[in-house]
Amino acid sequence: GIQLAPKGKLDIPVLFMPDTMKMYEAVVVIHVMRENGENWPYEDSAELNKDLKSVTVSEDGGIQGVLWTYPVHGIPEAPQQKLVPAVVRCQARQRVEKRVEVLLTGVVPGATAMPAARNSAVINRHKPSNIQEEVQVTEGFSTTVEFLYELQYESNEIKSQLESLVGMHLIQRERDPESGIITLIFNIVFAPNKPMRNEGTLVVQCTTGGIWKFPMLFIATQPEVDDVINIEAIGLNKESIVDFKLTSQTR
C-alpha cells in the first residue's frame, strides 16, 4: 500500500543477519499497481502471455500490475578480529618460503555434498591466472567442502608490484571432527627484488557461502652489498677514475 509519486524513489531496506557461514538466497518482489485500481490498457490483450512473470493480468485481459524481481544473495563474512598479520620477511634479491596456517570456523559441512575419496587441491584454469584457486576439503568419503582463495592488496599499484614476487600454494588441509574447524596450511614464496613493506589480505571463500580474511605483511629488507669499489688517489688535487659496469635486469 505504499504510494509512489511519478519519478519518485523508494528505498527498500534489506536486513541480513546470518547464523551460519553459508550463503542465503532470497527474492525481493515489487508489485506496482495503478492508484485508482484500473488496469493498464494493452492493445494486444488477447495475445498477452498469461505466463509472463513480469506482469499480473486481470480476468478481462488488461495489465493489473507490473512485477520487478530482484534476487538477493546473502554471503556471511567472518568478524574482522584484530588478528596479528602473518609476516613474511626476506632480504631483497633473495628467496624465502614460509608456511601460514589459517583456521576457518563455522563451516557448514555437507551443504554441497559430493562423493570424494581423498583430499585434493585443484587449480581452476577457467578463470584468469591472478584469480582464485579451488580447494576441496574432504571428511571421510561423503562430504566435500570446496573453497576459493586469493591474495588481495590495498591498491592496483601494490598488486602490480607483488603479483610476480609472491606465490601461494596449499600444502595441507584438515577438519577437526569435534569442533568442525577447518585448518588450511599455505606455503608462501616471497622473492623481492628491492626493499619494500606492503600489506595484503588472504581471502578464503567457501563455495557454499562464507568469507574469511587474514592479514598479511610482506617485508623486504636491504640487499647485500654487491661490491666494494676502492678509488686510490694518485696525488693531491688530481682526479682518480675507476670504471665499473652496471647491468639492468629489465628493459
Side-chain angles (χ1 to χ4, degrees):
I2 300 176
Q3 291 185 350
L4 188 63
K7 296 185 179 181
K9 293 183 179 181
L10 175 64
D11 293 329
I12 302 176
V14 177
L15 176 65
F16 179 49
M17 189 172 60
D19 55 0
T20 55
M21 293 293 287
K22 68 177 182 179
M23 184 174 69
Y24 296 81
E25 298 184 34
V27 177
V28 177
V29 180
I30 301 170
H31 189 199
V32 176
M33 296 175 290
R34 300 181 72 172
E35 185 179 12
N36 55 13
E38 297 180 359
N39 297 334
W40 276 287
Y42 189 74
E43 296 179 356
D44 300 326
S45 58
E47 300 179 2
L48 185 63
N49 186 0
K50 294 185 178 180
D51 294 331
L52 195 62
K53 296 182 180 179
S54 60
V55 297
T56 54
V57 182
S58 61
E59 295 180 356
D60 57 2
I63 298 178
Q64 186 179 17
V66 182
L67 292 172
W68 281 267
T69 303
Y70 298 93
V72 178
H73 287 181
I75 302 177
E77 183 173 325
Q80 291 292 328
Q81 302 175 354
K82 294 183 178 179
L83 300 176
V84 178
V87 179
V88 183
R89 187 189 303 270
C90 181
Q91 190 177 27
R93 298 204 299 270
Q94 299 294 324
R95 181 180 183 274
V96 70
E97 295 188 20
K98 181 175 181 177
R99 293 190 177 187
V100 176
E101 178 179 305
V102 298
L103 302 179
L104 309 182
T105 58
V107 181
V108 180
T112 55
M114 296 172 55
R118 57 186 177 86
N119 293 345
S120 61
V122 181
I123 297 177
N124 192 340
R125 303 190 184 278
H126 297 289
K127 296 185 178 181
S129 58
N130 60 341
I131 305 298
Q132 306 147 335
E133 293 183 355
E134 183 177 339
V135 183
Q136 293 183 352
V137 178
T138 305
E139 181 184 16
F141 291 84
S142 60
T143 305
T144 300
V145 181
E146 298 179 353
F147 294 92
L148 303 172
Y149 63 87
E150 68 172 339
L151 277 173
Q152 295 181 353
Y153 305 100
E154 293 182 342
S155 65
N156 291 331
E157 182 181 358
I158 296 177
K159 180 180 179 180
S160 63
Q161 292 178 3
L162 290 180
E163 202 168 29
S164 60
L165 309 178
V166 178
M168 181 176 61
H169 180 65
L170 182 79
I171 59 175
Q172 186 175 344
R173 54 272 180 199
E174 59 184 15
R175 178 198 289 273
D176 189 329
E178 296 182 359
S179 64
I181 296 177
I182 290 179
T183 302
L184 302 180
I185 300 178
F186 296 91
N187 186 54
I188 307 292
V189 178
F190 185 36
N193 53 9
K194 62 181 180 180
M196 66 178 67
R197 181 187 180 94
N198 289 317
E199 297 178 353
T201 303
L202 172 58
V203 180
V204 180
Q205 180 175 0
C206 183
T207 54
T208 61
I211 296 176
W212 295 261
K213 295 183 178 180
F214 305 94
M216 304 274 302
L217 179 59
F218 297 94
I219 300 176
T221 58
Q222 292 289 339
E224 295 182 357
V225 176
D226 293 288
D227 198 1
V228 177
I229 301 173
N230 294 317
I231 304 178
E232 185 176 346
I234 59 176
L236 294 176
N237 299 321
K238 294 182 179 181
E239 292 182 351
S240 298
I241 298 176
V242 173
D243 293 333
F244 60 94
K245 295 182 179 180
L246 293 178
T247 303
S248 176
Q249 295 181 355
T250 63
R251 294 183 179 272

